[in-house]
Amino acid sequence: MAANRVMFSCVFSMLVALMAAATMPSAVADGEPPPNYADALSKCLLFYDGQRSGKLPPTQRLTWRKDSALKDGQDAGVWILSVDLVGGYYDAGDNVKFGFPMAYTGTVLAWSIIEFSEELGPELAHAHEALRWLTDYLLKATAQPNRIFVQVGDPYSDHNCWERPEDMDTLRTTYQVNDTHPGSEVAGETAAALAAASIAFRSSDPAYADELLSRAKTVYNFGHTYQGSYGTSLGKWVCPFYCDYSGYQDELLWGAAWLNRATNSSQYENHIIHGIQQVQMKTQLNETAREWFFGWDNKEAGIYILLQTQKNNRLAQAFACSLLPQSKFKSVKYTPGGLLYNTPGCNMQDVTGFSFLLLVYARHLINVGETITCDNSQVPPSALIDVARSQMKYLLGHNPNKMSYMVGYGTKFPQMIHHRGSTLPSMDEHPQRMYCRDGEPYFNTTAPNLNLLIGAVVGGPNDGTDNFLDSRYSPNQTEPTTYVNAPLVGLLAYFNKNG
């Protein structure tokens, strides 16, 4: 049965500047107009309205979505009274609230705001709104000392049904980590999200920022004191869905780095030094020939870019060199049409995540008046920006398929995305309850989805070619996720103002 499928959300000397430009991957025809970045940015943020869980506010803009999961957390009352876990986001096309990728989404969404608040312009309010919906939930999930509620929803029960979140009758089991069943990766990432968000809200709501930062410290201390993986503590309930394959040391380092930045102090410096040693021991780091990652599972590339904005380090440079198309140390591939390719899963996570890091790093280099050295050649920051720009153009339709991979943007975009709420009739159109198997005819049809999840970015081409199958049966290509859109917020804001 289609509904039984388990989903994994579903990563030179100016060479001369002319030469750098000539080697940028691109499938764009000469004279083709640039993307409408302002429109894409607006829709990118609108997507988060469609992923909301809980009681929707009067300001809800995607009105085909309604209230859902209003009793989340009640089952945890067997152990602790008055647990309220209503709110937060569904991570992808299913109806589970996975805390690990949700926290990562919050960290990177906050980073987008921190780095590009001026470029966000009128969309800054929507970015803050999207972030606050997430951090309000994280505050609920971390309200008890030495305990984090890391997931709501039995993933097997949920993935066995194709039903609207508004109708859910699957098990809304609550899963937690604590001092006897640790989860340092979730604690580290949650601390990072809360700390980063405290910076993002510092000027607009200082009291809320103080609350976020205080909780970030507490959560980090819990994760650091009681070390262990939530994959071990919770087993099959989180693995293989969002199992931490890279280990938890990178998340503890990530959390310490964000706390150091949020506190504007050096009090977490020793944690950072120790964390870098642990991560490098684990990866057996080879700076010039290695594979880099940045996503919900592995934060390593992001860590070095974040630290680069505070102190010099050669690893940020090694990461940037690994993405330049003509570098002999390149660790990724590019499709014939110019799309960065790094993983056969949700490849667009690497496209948006890596592009974001290149852009943040390039802006830092420009601010300090520096270049980087790749293969004994000096590379200007503009070359890094060019790579990021080429990826945004591809994503928004400048590609061999002439289609946007953002739903609702442009005239051609995916019509059959792997997403329950988008596939099924809205409650306005079909107010009667739909049970577990009632959605299967809508899944199996070749007709377009009934509701547009505007702004959703799908996984896209994922086999090293530019081929794309618009089918609900291909979740790696058609399932959207919150963490793909998070770095895209900053990217689209920048290119909207800078072309």
Side-chain angles (χ1 to χ4, degrees):
M1 280 294 213
N4 283 324
R5 297 167 61 89
V6 174
M7 286 76 71
F8 306 97
S9 302
C10 18
V11 131
F12 307 91
S13 86
M14 234 169 234
L15 217 169
V16 182
L18 290 174
M19 186 175 179
T23 58
M24 286 303 106
S26 176
V28 183
D30 290 341
E32 188 168 356
N36 185 338
Y37 290 114
D39 183 45
L41 173 60
S42 176
K43 289 172 177 172
C44 178
L45 286 164
L46 181 58
F47 161 71
Y48 285 100
D49 279 35
Q51 295 300 111
R52 283 172 168 167
S53 178
K55 181 71 176 176
L56 302 186
T59 55
Q60 173 74 12
R61 294 180 292 163
L62 280 183
T63 56
W64 55 265
R65 278 298 324 283
K66 308 297 180 183
D67 299 345
S68 63
L70 299 181
K71 297 181 180 180
D72 278 0
Q74 286 190 2
D75 70 305
V78 174
W79 299 280
I80 301 172
L81 297 178
S82 302
V83 177
D84 174 11
L85 295 176
V86 176
Y89 289 115
Y90 305 116
D91 74 296
D94 53 23
N95 299 325
V96 182
K97 293 192 300 201
F98 292 101
F100 190 27
M102 192 192 307
Y104 169 77
T105 296
T107 307
V108 182
L109 183 55
W111 200 359
S112 280
I113 295 171
I114 293 166
E115 296 290 341
F116 303 102
S117 59
E118 293 184 8
E119 289 89 345
L120 278 164
E123 292 298 330
L124 179 59
H126 289 138
H128 274 145
E129 186 179 11
L131 178 59
R132 188 158 189 155
W133 191 268
L134 189 153
T135 51
D136 281 351
Y137 176 80
L138 292 185
L139 288 173
K140 292 181 178 183
T142 58
Q144 303 291 336
N146 293 338
R147 190 186 314 273
I148 304 176
F149 293 102
V150 298
Q151 185 170 309
V152 182
D154 179 323
Y156 300 95
S157 175
D158 180 90
H159 289 173
N160 191 49
C161 295
W162 195 264
E163 60 183 347
R164 302 177 296 197
E166 293 83 0
D167 287 331
M168 278 188 293
D169 54 7
T170 52
L171 296 172
R172 299 301 292 171
T173 310
T174 302
Y175 302 91
Q176 63 172 281
V177 296
N178 50 47
D179 53 358
T180 60
H181 295 78
S184 295
E185 60 274 271
V186 186
E189 186 62 73
T190 302
L194 293 167
S198 75
I199 304 172
F201 286 111
R202 178 59 59 193
S203 60
S204 62
D205 193 340
Y208 187 59
D210 287 342
E211 181 182 11
L212 294 171
L213 183 55
S214 176
R215 185 65 58 81
K217 294 176 181 178
T218 301
V219 171
Y220 178 82
N221 185 63
F222 160 63
H224 186 266
T225 302
Y226 303 99
Q227 293 194 21
S229 172
Y230 91 141
T232 301
S233 296
L234 293 175
K236 69 175 185 177
W237 304 113
V238 298
C239 295
F241 309 99
Y242 284 101
C243 194
D244 184 14
Y245 298 99
S246 68
Y248 60 81
Q249 292 295 341
D250 57 315
E251 278 82 27
L252 288 178
L253 172 53
W254 181 238
W258 275 110
L259 276 164
N260 221 40
R261 181 164 177 175
T263 57
N264 195 28
S265 70
S266 59
Q267 66 183 98
Y268 291 91
E269 194 72 30
N270 288 337
H271 291 269
I272 293 172
I273 294 171
H274 176 75
I276 290 175
Q277 291 172 344
Q278 292 297 308
V279 169
Q280 292 183 1
M281 285 173 57
K282 177 180 175 298
T283 59
Q284 297 181 337
L285 185 68
N286 181 335
E287 293 175 22
T288 58
R290 58 158 302 172
E291 189 174 9
W292 289 92
F293 299 97
F294 181 57
W296 60 263
D297 178 30
N298 191 321
K299 316 304 183 307
E300 192 173 357
I303 289 166
Y304 298 128
I305 296 300
L306 176 63
L307 293 176
Q308 172 64 30
T309 63
Q310 301 170 61
K311 63 178 70 177
N312 290 329
N313 72 80
R314 64 187 184 277
L315 297 172
Q317 177 173 274
F319 163 71
C321 293
S322 76
L323 298 184
L324 292 175
Q326 300 306 312
S327 170
K328 75 176 184 180
F329 301 126
K330 182 180 65 176
S331 66
V332 299
K333 299 178 181 178
Y334 286 91
T335 68
L339 180 68
L340 183 154
Y341 170 67
N342 193 52
T343 173
C346 177
N347 184 57
M348 210 60 80
Q349 177 180 202
D350 291 322
V351 172
T352 63
F354 284 168
S355 296
F356 177 82
L357 295 183
L358 285 178
L359 182 58
V360 170
Y361 187 33
R363 296 228 306 183
H364 167 73
L365 294 171
I366 291 170
N367 289 337
V368 298
E370 295 180 357
T371 61
I372 63 173
T373 303
C374 298
D375 193 21
N376 297 319
S377 298
Q378 295 303 302
V379 179
S382 60
L384 309 185
I385 296 174
D386 285 344
V387 173
R389 182 185 291 109
S390 74
Q391 298 308 295
M392 293 306 97
K393 286 184 174 182
Y394 188 107
L395 188 154
L396 294 174
H398 292 207
N399 56 62
N401 294 323
K402 301 299 181 184
M403 73 180 298
S404 160
Y405 293 103
M406 175 186 283
V407 174
Y409 176 86
T411 58
K412 182 182 178 183
F413 49 82
Q415 299 290 324
M416 290 177 280
I417 68 172
H418 187 100
H419 188 278
R420 288 162 174 74
S422 174
T423 305
L424 300 170
S426 70
M427 295 191 71
D428 290 332
E429 299 298 324
H430 190 287
Q432 297 81 16
R433 174 177 288 276
M434 299 182 70
Y435 293 93
C436 177
R437 299 295 181 183
D438 292 347
E440 290 185 10
Y442 297 91
F443 181 96
N444 292 321
T445 181
T446 57
N449 286 11
L450 297 174
N451 305 303
L452 279 185
L453 186 60
I454 297 174
V457 176
V458 298
N462 72 333
D463 64 354
T465 73
D466 298 293
N467 297 329
F468 175 73
L469 178 62
D470 188 5
S471 169
R472 300 177 197 97
Y473 288 94
S474 183
N476 283 343
Q477 294 191 65
T478 63
E479 187 170 19
T481 65
T482 56
Y483 44 84
V484 167
N485 277 51
L488 196 58
V489 171
L491 286 158
L492 295 175
Y494 175 84
F495 288 116
N496 180 43
K497 296 298 182 181
N498 299 279

